[in-house]
Amino acid sequence: QVQLVESGGGLVQAGGSLKLSCAASGGTFSTYAMGWFRRTPGKEREDVARINYNGLTTSYSTSVKGRFTISRDNAKNSVYLQMNSLKPEDTTVYYCAARPQLPVVTTTLYNFWGQGTQVTVFS
């Protein structure tokens, strides 16, 4: 139903910053919870950050807490991930995903995914 396209990844020096964007189309964006995930080789999927449908509730993984900030602009059908103080271990592909929340919660799954954007942090 909803289609997601990530952008903003790239090559950055350790300690630097990047801002990832995820543009949604084909659905009612304001009814979805959104999340940023990453799949580091050799590790299970990590839930980097999540934000509820209206942006009032956010959560972060321990590894990024205090460094990353998730936000959304429902008028622009977009969700963002501001990444500061980047570390080489943050290097991986980042994905955004959508989970329907309104009118009622019917699933705990983020079942709509973007194609991912590569983030590479060098020292």
Side-chain angles (χ1 to χ4, degrees), residues 38-46 89:
R38 62 188 183 187
R39 301 180 185 273
T40 302
K43 297 182 179 181
E44 296 181 357
R45 186 193 73 186
E46 180 181 5
E89 50 263 46

Side-chain angles (χ1 to χ4, degrees), residues 7 10 14 30 34 36 56 76 83 91 94 121 123:
S7 63
S30 60
M34 301 295 297
W36 285 97
L56 296 180
K76 297 181 178 179
M83 305 185 294
T91 296
Y94 286 74
V121 184
S123 60

Side-chain angles (χ1 to χ4, degrees), residues 7-21:
S7 63
L11 185 66
V12 64
Q13 190 173 27
S17 299
L18 282 175
K19 187 175 183 178
L20 306 184
S21 298

Side-chain angles (χ1 to χ4, degrees), residues 75-115:
K76 297 181 178 179
N77 289 355
S78 296
V79 63
Y80 310 96
L81 185 67
Q82 178 66 52
M83 305 185 294
N84 299 325
S85 301
L86 283 163
K87 305 174 181 179
E89 50 263 46
D90 295 320
T91 296
T92 189
V93 178
Y94 286 74
Y95 302 85
C96 73
R99 168 193 171 192
Q101 280 194 309
L102 299 178
V104 295
V105 176
T106 58
T107 179
T108 60
L109 300 177
Y110 284 81
N111 51 358
F112 302 99
W113 292 80
Q115 83 290 343

Side-chain angles (χ1 to χ4, degrees), residues 1-4 23-32 34 72-78 98-100 102 112:
Q1 182 179 351
V2 62
Q3 301 167 38
L4 306 173
S25 62
T28 305
F29 181 72
S30 60
T31 67
Y32 290 88
M34 301 295 297
R72 69 189 297 159
D73 187 339
N74 285 349
K76 297 181 178 179
N77 289 355
S78 296
R99 168 193 171 192
L102 299 178
F112 302 99

